[in-house]
Each structure stands twice: as C-alpha cells, then as structure tokens.
Amino acid sequence: MTQSQSAYFLSDAQPPTRRHTVAVIVDNEPGVLARIAGMFSGRGYNIESLTVSETEHEKHVSRITIVTTGTEKVIEQIKTQLDRLVPVHRVVDLTVQGEALERELCLVKVRGKGDTRVEALRLAGAFGAHTLDATLNSFVFELTGTTEEVERFIRLMGAVGLVEVSRTGIAAMSRGAEGMLEAALPDGAQGR
Amino acid sequence: MSREMTGAEMVVQTLIDQGVTTLFGYPGGAVLPIYDALFQQDSVKHVLVRHEQGAVHAAEGYARSSGKVGVVLVTSGPGATNAVTGLTDALMDSIPLVCFTGQVPTHLIGSDAFQEADTVGITRHCTKHNYLVKSIEDLPRILHEAFYVAQNGRPGPVVIDIPKDIQFKSGKYEKPRDNQHKTYRPQIKGDLSKIKAAVEMIAQAKRPVFYTGGGVINAGPHAAQLLRELVRATGYPITSTLMGLGAYPAHDQQWLGMLGMHGTYEANLAMHGCDLMVNIGARFDDRITGRIDAFSPGSKKIHIDIDPSSINKNVKVDIGIVGDCAHVLEDMVRLWKDVAGQVDKPAIKAWWLQIEGWRARKSLAYKNSSDVIKPQYALERLEALTKDRKRFITTEVGQHQMWAAQYLHFDEPNRWMTSGGLGTMGYGLPAAVGVQLAHPKDLVVCVAGEASVLMNMQEMSTAAQYRLPIKIFILNNEYMGMVRQWQELLHGGRYSESYSAALPDFVKLAEAYHAKGIRCDDPAKLDAAIMEMIDYPGPVIFDCLVAKEENCFPMIPSGKAHNEMILPDFEGDTGEIIDAKGKQLV
C-alpha cells in the first residue's frame, strides 16, 4: 500500500466506513441547499442520496434527508458541520437512533411487445408496483420501497425493455412515537 | 418603535444602533445610495481604503485589537470579489466582521449586468453566513441578525448583499431587539459534569501542559484573566499557538513560548512528552501537530472549544467540552479549589525539572554578527525599545512573522494581529491601519517582509490620508524568505522565483506616500534608527536590511514529530534534513 502523502493524515490504515441516513431540519431560505451541498463538496464528503422538500409551509421549514458513507470520525464531522450552519434547526442521525424507516419512489418506463410485455406487467404486479401509464408497446410503473427493493425491481426491468428510470432518493423517519424534534439531543448540541 | 426610512438609511441606522463608529470601504455604483446616507451623518466614520482587500484586513485589525465587530462596505462585482481573500482570512482566524456588498438591482440579477457577480455564491464558502436581501421588509431583520451571527458562537465574517433598488426603497426600520435567533443558538456554558471530570484529570496529572489558542482571545479579556488564574493556581506549564499569544503573559515563568512548526524546543517537547494536554480554544491545526500519528502519543487530551465541529476533528480527545472559554474557565477556576489538594507535587516538580532541561537548550539562540543585522537581532532590539509602551504588532506572512512571534513578547491579549489560518501575505499593513484607528494614541508596528508588504502597499495612502502614524518595520532580505528556506530544505537550494528582484527604494517609496523613510544596515546604528522611527509622529517605512539567507529555526520539518526538531545550532547539510516522504508534504 502506498504511503499517504497528505500532511493531515499519515496512516495507511483504512478504518471501516458505514452508511448513515441523516435528517436535517432547516429554514427554507434561499441558498440553504447550496450551503449544505457545498459543505459536503468543500470538505470532501460523499452524498449518496439527497432528498429535500418543504414540510411546514407556514413556518418555511424544510426537511433534508441525506444518505452518506464515511468512517465514524467523518460521520461525526458531517453532523457537527451541518449543525453549525446558521439556518439548520436540527440534525438527527437516524442510523444511530435505530432501524429507521427508509423509502424511495421510482418511476420506470419499459417498452416491449408480446411475451416481454406480459412478463413486465407480471413482474410489476409481483412487486406491487402501480401502472401509471400504458400504451400498446410501453408501461410506466411506480414503485415505492426500500432502496434494495427498488434496485431489484429496476434490475429485473432491464430484462424486459427498460427505457428510463427516475428515482426520488430516500425519505426516512424513525420508528416509534417520538418525533424528530423531541428526540434526545446529541452530545454538545443545544435545543433549537 | 419603528420608523420609515430607505434601505440605505437603514444600513447607516443599523451601524449607529449596533455601536459601530468606524467602517472601512470603497465606493462604487451599486452602493452609492449607502454612501449618500453616510454623507449626511456624523456618527459613523468611514475610512476610505485603496483596495477592498485592504478594507477587510483593516476591519480585521480593528476587530482583533478592540474586540468589536469590524465593518466593511464595498460595491458589487469587483468590489465583492476583491474582498474574498480578506473574508476567507477572517473565517480561518474566527474574526467577527460584517461586510456589506452592493448588488445590481433585483430585476437585473442573473442577466450578467455590469459589475454583477454572484456574491452570495462566491462568498458562501468563505463566510460564516451570508444573505442576499430580496425585499425591503427583510432588511432590518437581516441587518441585526448579521451582527448577532458575526459575534456569537465561533466568530466569523458575515456578508450582506444588498441590491441597489432595495437601498432606494422605503420601509419600516426597527431597532435591534434582544430576542433569540430562530436557529443559531451556540452553546455558551460547558457541560458541568465534563468540566468536573476535566478538573479532576488535571489535578491527577503528572506531566501536564496547557495548550491555548485564539479562542481565549476571542472570548474576551475576562477569559485571559481567568486563564491566568487557573494556570497560576495549578502551577503547570503553558504554551500557546500563534493565534493565542498574549492571553498568558510571555514574561511569566510558567510560559514555555509558542509551540508548533516554529515553536520553542521546550514547548514542543512538553507537548510530546506530556501525560495530559489541556487544549483551551485551539484547534489541533497541522502547523501545531506536525505528523499526526506521532503527535503527543502518551497523553490524555481535554479540548475546550465553542465550535463542536472542532472537537475530534483532527485529534481524538478524551474529554471534549463545548462552550465559551470564559464560561468554562470560570467553572474550572471555581472547581479547582476542591481538587487542588490532589496535585502530585513531586511529579510536577520532576516534570518542571525536565522542562527546564529543555529550556536550557536555548532553542531561540542565534549567531549574532557585528557586520550585518540578523533579523532575530532586529526584533530583539524592537522588543527592547518598545516593550514598555502600549504597543500593538501586526505582521505580514513568512519568516519575519515567525521571528516576530518568537522574539516579541506579549503580556496582554489583543496586542498581536497576524494572519494565522490562511497565511495571507499583504495582511499586516492594512491591519495596522485598522489597529491604529482603534487605538489612535498607541504605537502600532507592522513587522513585514519586503515581499509581503508590497502586496497591499497601496494602503500607505490610506495611512497618509488619515494621518495614521503606523510604523512599517520591514526585515528586508531580498527574498521571499520562507519560500527560499523551504527551497533550501526541500529543493536542493534551487531558488525558483523566490528572489525579490527590482525592489522599490523603500525610503523613496515612503516619501512618495507622504511618510518618513528610514534605512538601516548597520547593527551598531540600529537602536538609534528604531528610536527615530518610534519618535516620528507620522507613518514610517523602516527598511531594515538584514542577513539574506538566515533560516527560521527551530523548525519541525514536514513529516516529522515534535521530538524531531531542527535547532538553530544544527550543523550539517540542511538539504538532507527532510526525507523523500517529508518533501511531499506541505
């Protein structure tokens, strides 16, 4: 293995990385998404999935769900770096909290005739996908599920005339009665 | 109570309500309404700089020496982009600034209009926070919020980008209210159980060291006072980063000098050999830690910082306390009384004996000369001849900066202004302008190199306009000295582009700027020349011709640990010190 050439990190060891889902509540002000995405790119962190939408219109509050991969140290940095951004209300690591619910939605267009067409419809039925659009030689299916389910579905559709895929990225929420803003505060953070 | 006024008037009224008396700026098309509002009042003094970078550095100098927020006003496009280096500098060194930038009118944004730049986009990464004001109703809130954000938590620069049409529009202005910010509420008080655990750990240490930084300065003079109380009560050694100089008096016996790449032998070996490191308001920067996997291998570490993201970022610590240094120190001083009896006095005595051994190595010694002025000697004389005055020092960046940190001694906080994190050449001269405006009656000296000082030389004109008696003390070795030193150590002495060719005649240059020029190249005449500089009632450029190829030691070479320092009496081939691996590092 080659020696690291950075003054900041001299160890050859590659500590294990883990996938985390982080939910961030932000003030929906202009540029807030650029601020968050820029923090990730500027500090060299990964974004695997990012979902954002206003959740409380009157309060101008948005919820951002980020899926990222990193070492334990990097994940801690991501959370504290997010938390110190001025428009951020709250950062919660859903992966640390326990088995969070994670879903994404995909739209899949397939094209085909005869047996492939029948097979596509049969597979969609088996996955519980909805048929949103149908023509004599095509379908558009909608499937909501875990990332794994969605990917399995898309892989199978590849064999029956896949044309196009659109995915939303992950929306996530913790299980149980507790809301995100009520959850125990992370170490060092203050209620907002 | 609210009053009806224009956006431009709101900007000026906000300055008055926030207690701002001085701002630094440069006019242009997109800020003309604000300049018009400034023209019609006497409460706020505008200082006209000669380049927007100078405005930001001057505001930094003003802020760091006074503890107030520095304020900058520049126009759109080039005005804003010229300010970017200064903003980045303030972000890296956590200096509270509010920078107003003009913007093209709202309806022209995005059309590539004349002097349009995406200021909030460009400055998003070099500010703590920034705002583009899109309606007059938002302006009063944003104006006051910006001052809150700049000063609270870890301080930093905030940009408010105001389109020209918003400056003309009328709206209701309200005075700042003492209400809590919606989202930004940094933790000020430290977690008491952690502070208790930390204090106990401190009491039980056998080889402890305090390692303090700019956070103590930023927490205010009260924090420096509490630091002194705590350190004296423990009797433990203390060292500080470049940013933290002055928080603890340099003349005290417990003071080990600065640590890090050009720190003293005793400070770095104490860091390496300690069993407990107490980091107060510093951030384990790479200039401090050196090789991180060999950094203080046998110690437990306590870290106090107002920014939670600083904790465990570079170095994993055993106790991380989030809070303002002054508040945490106050708790520590109080709790110390309960545990003071647990201190292992013989162990601390043995530790001090070891440190005194390192100190006796005299790592700042140098070979003086009677023919040529050694830069170290010049600074020792500057120190001797100015130490009894209320004195403020700014620096540019390079060898002279490190020598100034080594040979000038600071007993008070806010007296030392230097570009630490970003290492901005061109910082010192404009910073001196800002410092002198905050302290009109005191001695302000910018220790400079002949290369750095030329980067913002135009600000001499500002000094002349406002009759600021700043003293620019140039250690002129005709090289970008630190670049040359690294080329000697790393690149076989091939001095690629590091010679300062075609230098101006600094004495004539001083005269051209209505200032006094002094040149000295004789060690025997140096004292008299320095006194002439100090006694002159106006701005001075002092061209001190020093030994050309002096190296700045001690030094931890890149890729090495604290216990592998090069000391000044090193005799051998300097080109062989750093191995192939180290040469790859910055």
Side-chain angles (χ1 to χ4, degrees):
Chain A
M1 202 180 284
T2 55
Q3 178 73 36
S4 163
Q5 294 181 351
S6 161
Y8 299 88
F9 189 71
L10 284 157
S11 167
D12 283 341
Q14 291 292 324
T17 59
R18 236 189 114 178
R19 189 165 169 274
H20 279 244
T21 305
V22 179
V24 190
I25 304 289
V26 299
D27 256 1
N28 189 18
E29 62 179 41
V32 66
L33 187 59
R35 218 175 280 286
I36 285 174
M39 190 283 285
F40 275 82
S41 65
R43 293 183 183 269
Y45 306 142
N46 296 314
I47 297 182
E48 290 186 2
S49 161
L50 183 140
T51 315
V52 54
S53 189
E54 199 166 62
T55 48
E56 288 174 81
H57 189 64
E58 312 77 50
K59 289 192 197 159
H60 297 287
V61 167
S62 287
R63 179 166 174 140
I64 299 176
T65 310
I66 302 167
V67 180
T68 180
T69 301
T71 61
E72 193 192 339
K73 190 174 148 184
V74 165
I75 299 289
E76 277 311 307
Q77 267 296 301
I78 288 174
K79 287 186 278 181
T80 50
Q81 292 290 353
L82 282 170
D83 203 44
R84 72 179 194 148
L85 296 174
V86 170
V88 169
H89 284 266
R90 190 70 198 278
V91 179
V92 172
D93 187 336
L94 295 170
T95 305
V96 166
Q97 279 200 339
E99 289 292 297
L101 295 165
E102 295 186 5
R103 289 293 179 273
E104 66 173 306
L105 182 149
C106 75
L107 299 177
V108 177
K109 183 177 281 184
V110 291
R111 190 164 56 207
K113 281 186 174 160
D115 286 351
T116 16
R117 183 172 153 78
V118 175
E119 186 59 17
L121 193 63
R122 210 180 58 78
L123 285 169
F127 271 84
H130 294 287
T131 308
L132 298 183
D133 180 62
T135 68
L136 289 174
N137 60 355
S138 74
F139 289 115
V140 175
F141 298 123
E142 173 206 322
L143 178 72
T144 304
T146 63
T147 299
E148 294 71 36
E149 282 169 343
V150 165
E151 282 178 354
R152 212 163 49 234
F153 181 63
I154 293 168
R155 238 185 350 260
L156 280 171
M157 288 296 115
V160 290
L162 181 70
V163 175
E164 194 179 345
V165 178
S166 174
R167 291 167 71 166
T168 56
I170 285 168
M173 194 171 276
S174 62
R175 292 172 187 269
E178 204 174 47
M180 177 173 157
L181 292 171
E182 305 153 8
L185 287 163
D187 189 44
Q190 210 185 22
R192 285 177 175 177
Chain B
M1 209 191 70
S2 66
R3 275 201 293 147
E4 187 85 8
M5 60 178 83
T6 68
E9 288 165 347
M10 285 181 193
V11 171
V12 175
Q13 191 58 45
T14 300
L15 298 179
I16 294 167
D17 290 343
Q18 292 285 349
V20 176
T21 53
T22 309
L23 84 156
F24 302 87
Y26 202 101
V31 279
L32 284 177
I34 299 174
Y35 272 88
D36 198 41
L38 280 170
F39 190 78
Q40 298 171 46
Q41 55 84 46
D42 291 320
S43 311
V44 186
K45 176 178 177 170
H46 178 273
V47 176
L48 177 68
V49 296
R50 299 301 186 268
H51 185 288
E52 287 88 351
Q53 187 190 347
V56 186
H57 292 324
E60 283 185 277
Y62 183 90
R64 290 174 74 160
S65 65
S66 68
K68 296 183 195 164
V69 179
V71 182
V72 178
L73 171 59
V74 298
T75 192
S76 64
T81 56
N82 277 345
V84 164
T85 301
L87 293 169
T88 313
D89 191 90
L91 183 71
M92 289 289 268
D93 286 348
S94 308
I95 310 303
L97 294 186
V98 172
C99 175
F100 300 95
T101 57
Q103 183 54 279
V104 300
T106 319
H107 69 275
L108 287 178
I109 290 178
S111 71
D112 297 329
F114 178 64
Q115 292 194 332
E116 183 188 356
D118 176 8
T119 301
V120 284
I122 290 168
T123 61
R124 193 171 288 130
H125 297 269
C126 63
T127 54
K128 184 176 172 187
H129 196 52
N130 63 13
Y131 303 88
L132 169 62
V133 184
K134 285 190 168 163
S135 89
I136 187 74
E137 286 74 32
D138 294 337
L139 185 60
R141 175 186 62 80
I142 289 174
L143 289 169
H144 295 310
E145 197 178 302
F147 277 86
Y148 169 85
V149 170
Q151 298 172 81
N152 284 275
R154 181 175 177 175
V158 176
V159 160
I160 313 178
D161 198 27
I162 312 178
K164 194 171 181 182
D165 56 326
I166 304 288
Q167 298 171 30
F168 277 124
K169 270 197 187 129
S170 279
K172 282 197 169 61
Y173 172 82
E174 283 191 45
K175 280 190 185 302
R177 278 177 301 185
D178 192 28
N179 52 359
Q180 279 209 311
H181 190 273
K182 219 169 14 163
T183 52
Y184 190 68
R185 289 176 219 156
Q187 183 170 348
I188 304 299
K189 290 287 283 179
D191 179 335
L192 208 57
S193 62
K194 285 188 178 177
I195 298 175
K196 273 199 181 119
V199 167
E200 269 166 28
M201 206 184 255
I202 295 171
Q204 281 152 16
K206 299 198 187 313
R207 298 186 313 277
V209 65
F210 285 102
Y211 146 46
T212 69
V216 181
I217 312 271
N218 271 336
H222 184 51
Q225 195 50 47
L226 288 161
L227 176 73
R228 291 160 193 221
E229 280 177 38
L230 180 69
V231 172
R232 284 185 184 135
T234 59
Y236 294 172
I238 173 169
T239 178
S240 157
T241 66
L242 181 73
M243 297 302 296
L245 298 178
Y248 194 84
H251 288 97
D252 193 275
Q253 266 302 308
Q254 284 167 256
W255 172 249
L256 305 183
M258 181 177 77
L259 82 159
M261 186 172 264
H262 293 288
T264 64
Y265 191 61
E266 55 269 33
N268 284 334
L269 286 195
M271 288 289 279
H272 191 80
C274 66
D275 73 339
L276 176 70
M277 180 183 295
V278 187
N279 172 345
I280 308 176
R283 58 184 179 88
F284 295 110
D285 177 87
D286 59 276
R287 302 291 104 163
I288 295 304
T289 61
R291 183 177 167 159
I292 209 138
D293 59 356
F295 173 67
S296 193
S299 65
K300 291 215 182 268
K301 297 171 187 79
I302 297 169
H303 187 183
I304 302 164
D305 204 302
I306 197 156
D307 178 359
S309 74
S310 283
I311 291 170
N312 293 329
K313 180 171 70 179
N314 299 335
V315 170
K316 184 107 181 113
V317 296
D318 299 277
I319 300 182
I321 301 169
V322 177
D324 180 84
C325 287
H327 284 84
V328 176
L329 280 166
E330 199 170 338
D331 287 336
M332 288 182 124
V333 168
R334 196 184 63 245
L335 293 169
W336 177 255
K337 295 186 179 86
D338 305 336
V339 296
Q342 299 174 22
V343 172
D344 183 347
K345 291 206 171 104
I348 301 299
K349 201 172 165 198
W351 175 229
W352 268 115
L353 216 62
Q354 198 174 0
I355 290 172
E356 290 306 335
W358 294 326
R359 202 179 248 170
R361 191 73 176 72
K362 294 200 180 305
S363 62
L364 293 180
Y366 61 93
K367 260 191 220 112
N368 208 350
S369 158
S370 55
D371 309 325
V372 59
I373 301 174
K374 287 294 185 100
Q376 301 95 324
Y377 177 71
L379 288 167
E380 274 187 344
R381 293 321 299 157
L382 182 69
E383 167 69 14
L385 297 170
T386 60
K387 66 172 190 229
D388 296 328
R389 296 165 189 260
K390 192 172 179 195
R391 175 198 74 180
F392 293 81
I393 301 286
T394 72
T395 76
E396 300 286 343
V397 168
Q399 281 185 323
H400 68 274
Q401 176 191 29
M402 292 299 114
W403 280 318
Q406 292 170 337
Y407 294 95
L408 302 180
H409 301 304
F410 300 91
D411 288 340
E412 298 297 331
N414 306 100
R415 300 287 178 86
W416 163 249
M417 275 56 61
T418 192
S419 172
L422 194 64
T424 311
M425 290 170 74
Y427 170 87
L429 202 169
V433 166
V435 175
Q436 190 78 77
L437 278 153
H439 304 274
K441 298 228 180 314
D442 300 316
L443 177 65
V444 180
V445 181
C446 167
V447 177
E450 83 290 337
S452 272
V453 77
L454 286 174
M455 284 213 180
N456 270 320
M457 182 48 90
Q458 77 286 346
E459 298 307 325
M460 276 307 288
S461 191
T462 310
Q465 180 179 344
Y466 297 92
R467 299 179 195 282
L468 304 172
I470 56 172
K471 317 299 179 199
I472 313 301
F473 190 70
I474 302 174
L475 297 176
N476 184 348
N477 57 9
E478 296 180 17
Y479 278 106
M480 294 156 212
M482 195 60 95
V483 175
R484 190 207 57 73
Q485 176 170 343
W486 281 58
Q487 287 173 334
E488 179 186 329
L489 298 179
L490 299 169
H491 296 283
R494 294 181 293 280
Y495 296 155
S496 179
E497 301 294 329
S498 56
Y499 181 67
S500 298
L503 281 173
D505 179 331
F506 283 106
V507 172
K508 284 188 186 155
L509 189 62
E511 284 159 8
Y513 280 119
H514 318 288
K516 183 180 179 66
I518 300 173
R519 180 171 293 124
C520 185
D521 63 355
D522 181 355
K525 293 179 184 155
L526 183 60
D527 275 25
I530 290 176
M531 285 315 295
E532 188 186 356
M533 170 182 88
I534 297 168
D535 291 338
Y536 184 72
V540 177
I541 296 179
F542 190 117
D543 187 16
C544 187
L545 302 175
V546 297
K548 293 197 198 314
E549 298 196 4
E550 192 74 8
N551 282 328
C552 184
F553 289 137
M555 177 180 184
I556 303 175
S558 44
K560 303 270 181 177
H562 278 179
N563 57 348
E564 300 174 283
M565 297 183 75
I566 318 173
L567 288 164
D569 48 7
F570 173 81
E571 279 174 11
D573 182 358
T574 47
E576 298 300 314
I577 294 168
I578 299 176
D579 56 19
K581 204 171 79 189
K583 287 180 185 179
Q584 316 259 10
L585 306 176
V586 185

